[in-house]
Amino acid sequence: MTAAAVPAASPASTGEQSGVRLARSRRNAELSLLLLAMVLVAAYAAMVEAKALDTITNDFWIPAAALGLVFLGLHLVIRWLAPYADPALLPAVALLNGIGVGFLRRYDLAKAAPAEREDLAIFAGTGGRQLAWTLAAVVLAAGLLAILRDHRSLSRYAYTLGLAGIVLVMIPAVLPSRFSEINGAKLWIKFGGFSIQPGEFAKLALLTFFAYYLVRKREVLSLASRRVLGIDFPRGRDLGPVLVVWLVSLLVLIFEKDLGTSLLYFGMFVVTLYIATERVSWLLIGLILFFGGAYLAYVLGSTVGGPFANFYDRAEIWLDPFAEPYDRGYQLVQGLLTLGTGGLFGAGPGGGQPTLLPEVQTDFIFAGIGEEIGLFGLSALLVIYLLIVERGLRAALAVRDSFGKLLAGGLAFTLGLQVFVIVGGISKLIPLTGQTTPFLSAGGSSLMANWLLIAVLLRVSDGARRPVTGGGPAARPSGGPPEQLHGAPTEVIRP
């Protein structure tokens, strides 16, 4: 009797099985890292209570457990809807978000009377509100993953999103100050006891439009006019788009009175333009235009005043905050002293004095945390941000379509630039801005917008890492620009 021949598995089925195993291993790695992140958040909460209360209460673990359940829900959504997504993004962001909630809880303890600190409700105060905002932001991110099954479908709504982004940017500028101004910057919409920062959502809408527009126009914008010192400069007629965005960023600087938002909008356009064309000259032109415009605004603020006066005052504080350490320069001086007090190792979680630092829960949360975890701890947080940016750039390199490359690259850079703007402001590298530290600062607008940013990066990375099958979505770049960037690899990259 002869044994029946066993039919060989087809290459397609073998590829599908290996893809399933790869997706499962990535999601298991994500889950393990997520559990580790929540353990660190719980340990941070315990150390805060041990230092601030001289005891550890029985419910110190509840915020970490609540966050863990929220992030576990998002992990299950990713496992179902984006199984090939980058496994490091969610744990890294969850750790930052958890530390932010933990520090805001620590801030609530510092504000409470000593006799009431042990009885302070877990879900009360700024920390409790941030926990609720985290739930809302994660639900929003999960909803976007459910709706957006292919990142290329965003290109169909590029012009609509671009218009929406411009409207969101303009609203605070045209509103009266009592409805839009906080701490000198007109970035908000306030009504009743509620406020929202529309610019946080505008950056996502505008970046989608920039990516779509530059994919369509990159061939024209890549043309060189003349070569100077080995650098190819564009033709004069092609400077139109960058000049328009430059003028808009100057209007934001003048009428919304915020350098950080102006730099963010202009920077993300210039960098997306560089990614599209691979022309270093665009970066040089962008730097010259922005710093030239900022200097012009400073000079006009010192001579003309009017709408330029606010930027002039901020620049003067930045140049010499110790000239008026108890008046205009008080916030920056206190921030620098707080960072200096923390030193290399910090006073320990719960050992600082956050109530002495104005706006420590929002603009200066990085300085407040630095007082307690020191330079080494802050460096670790910056490494986590760097990891998120790096994974976003890796997704941009791996994805097959040009729109996805520009979108992911622009989103990753925007997150990194926002961190640079706020950290540069509190460390006196650049003038103070009205930007918040992503995932750490209190507030719902920034948290929800940045979680949406992460959701888009997860979707792009899922499309980049998904194995190419005969009829799968990764094989057919429908709904978006099919062209490849200059010199970009077309093969599947699975870092």
Side-chain angles (χ1 to χ4, degrees):
M1 181 183 296
T2 59
V6 179
S10 66
S13 62
T14 303
E16 290 176 2
Q17 292 173 3
S18 63
V20 170
R21 288 195 298 269
L22 184 62
R24 187 180 296 118
S25 66
R26 282 176 177 154
R27 301 281 65 83
N28 291 339
E30 179 182 79
L31 179 60
S32 301
L33 291 172
L34 187 58
L35 293 176
L36 176 61
M38 291 303 99
V39 168
L40 293 176
V41 171
Y44 177 78
M47 288 187 287
V48 164
E49 291 197 353
K51 194 80 170 181
L53 305 178
D54 292 327
T55 185
I56 300 178
T57 61
N58 293 329
D59 52 2
F60 80 93
W61 54 272
I62 294 179
L67 286 171
L69 289 175
V70 171
F71 296 139
L72 179 61
L74 183 58
H75 163 76
L76 295 176
V77 171
I78 295 172
R79 185 179 284 265
W80 174 40
L81 297 176
Y84 298 94
D86 193 305
L89 283 173
L90 175 60
V93 176
L95 179 58
L96 291 172
N97 200 157
I99 290 175
V101 171
F103 180 79
L104 293 173
R105 163 72 176 171
R106 185 267 174 279
Y107 175 62
D108 292 332
L109 291 174
K111 290 194 302 180
E116 301 174 355
R117 289 176 180 174
E118 287 192 33
D119 299 324
L120 186 66
I122 288 293
F123 298 108
T126 309
R129 287 194 297 273
Q130 189 72 355
L131 199 58
W133 280 122
T134 300
L135 173 61
V138 170
V139 169
L140 200 61
L144 182 61
L145 284 174
I147 296 171
L148 185 65
R149 297 303 182 95
D150 189 337
H151 64 272
R152 291 166 293 200
S153 61
L154 284 174
S155 64
R156 301 171 188 167
Y157 311 100
Y159 287 102
T160 303
L161 290 172
L163 178 61
I166 293 173
V167 172
L168 289 173
V169 171
M170 290 176 57
I171 290 176
V174 300
L175 286 176
S177 296
R178 67 179 183 274
F179 295 120
S180 62
E181 186 170 327
I182 296 179
N183 297 328
K186 296 187 65 176
L187 301 173
W188 302 83
I189 300 175
K190 300 186 295 182
F191 48 92
F194 183 77
S195 62
I196 185 172
Q197 194 171 354
E200 292 288 343
F201 302 95
K203 66 185 181 186
L204 302 179
L206 289 174
L207 191 56
T208 303
F209 170 73
F210 291 161
Y212 177 83
Y213 173 80
L214 292 173
V215 165
R216 292 295 187 264
K217 300 295 183 180
R218 72 164 185 268
E219 296 294 342
V220 174
L221 296 172
S222 299
L223 296 176
S225 172
R226 61 183 62 186
R227 190 175 183 88
V228 179
L229 298 177
I231 300 175
D232 294 321
F233 282 85
R235 302 176 301 176
R237 73 187 75 169
D238 298 328
L239 294 176
V242 74
L243 289 176
V244 169
V245 178
W246 174 67
L247 289 173
V248 171
S249 68
L250 283 184
L251 292 176
V252 170
L253 176 65
I254 295 168
F255 293 104
E256 296 194 354
K257 306 175 184 178
D258 186 64
L259 175 67
T261 303
S262 174
L263 177 59
L264 192 65
Y265 293 153
F266 186 65
M268 68 184 188
F269 176 76
V270 171
V271 168
T272 308
L273 179 57
Y274 166 70
I275 297 173
T277 62
E278 299 182 0
R279 298 290 189 192
V280 179
S281 56
W282 284 116
L283 295 179
L284 297 177
I285 292 171
L287 289 173
I288 292 171
L289 286 175
F290 184 82
F291 286 113
Y295 179 73
L296 178 62
Y298 174 77
V299 172
L300 292 175
S302 64
T303 56
V304 178
F308 304 97
N310 182 271
F311 176 70
Y312 174 76
D313 290 339
R314 289 201 176 211
E316 286 292 298
I317 294 171
W318 167 60
L319 291 172
D320 189 6
F322 292 93
E324 299 180 48
Y326 298 103
D327 190 12
R328 295 192 307 171
Y330 181 76
Q331 186 181 31
L332 182 55
V333 167
Q334 289 299 311
L336 295 173
L337 293 176
T338 297
L339 290 172
T341 302
L344 291 177
F345 301 100
Q353 302 183 59
T355 54
L356 299 180
L357 183 58
E359 305 299 331
V360 68
Q361 75 277 19
T362 53
D363 295 7
F364 274 72
I365 193 170
F366 205 74
I369 294 175
E371 182 184 16
E372 300 191 347
I373 65 176
L375 178 62
F376 288 158
L378 289 183
S379 298
L381 291 182
L382 290 177
V383 167
I384 297 174
Y385 280 116
L386 184 62
L387 173 66
I388 298 172
V389 173
E390 184 270 337
R391 303 306 288 193
L393 293 176
R394 182 169 290 193
L397 289 173
V399 74
R400 302 167 186 85
D401 65 287
S402 299
F403 175 74
K405 289 179 182 295
L406 294 182
L407 182 63
L411 289 173
F413 171 80
T414 300
L415 181 64
L417 180 60
Q418 187 169 348
V419 174
F420 166 77
V421 164
I422 186 63
V423 175
I426 66 173
S427 61
K428 199 180 170 295
L429 181 63
I430 61 174
L432 279 176
T433 69
Q435 293 293 310
T436 56
T437 311
F439 307 110
L440 291 178
S441 296
S445 300
S446 174
L447 194 62
M448 288 192 290
N450 284 305
W451 269 107
L452 287 175
L453 183 153
I454 294 300
V456 176
L457 284 181
L458 286 168
R459 176 55 67 203
V460 174
S461 67
D462 175 67
R465 294 159 176 261
R466 187 177 295 274
V468 179
T469 57
R476 208 173 43 251
S478 59
E483 305 91 357
Q484 294 294 327
L485 290 179
H486 301 296
T490 58
E491 70 273 17
V492 181
I493 303 176
R494 298 192 184 96

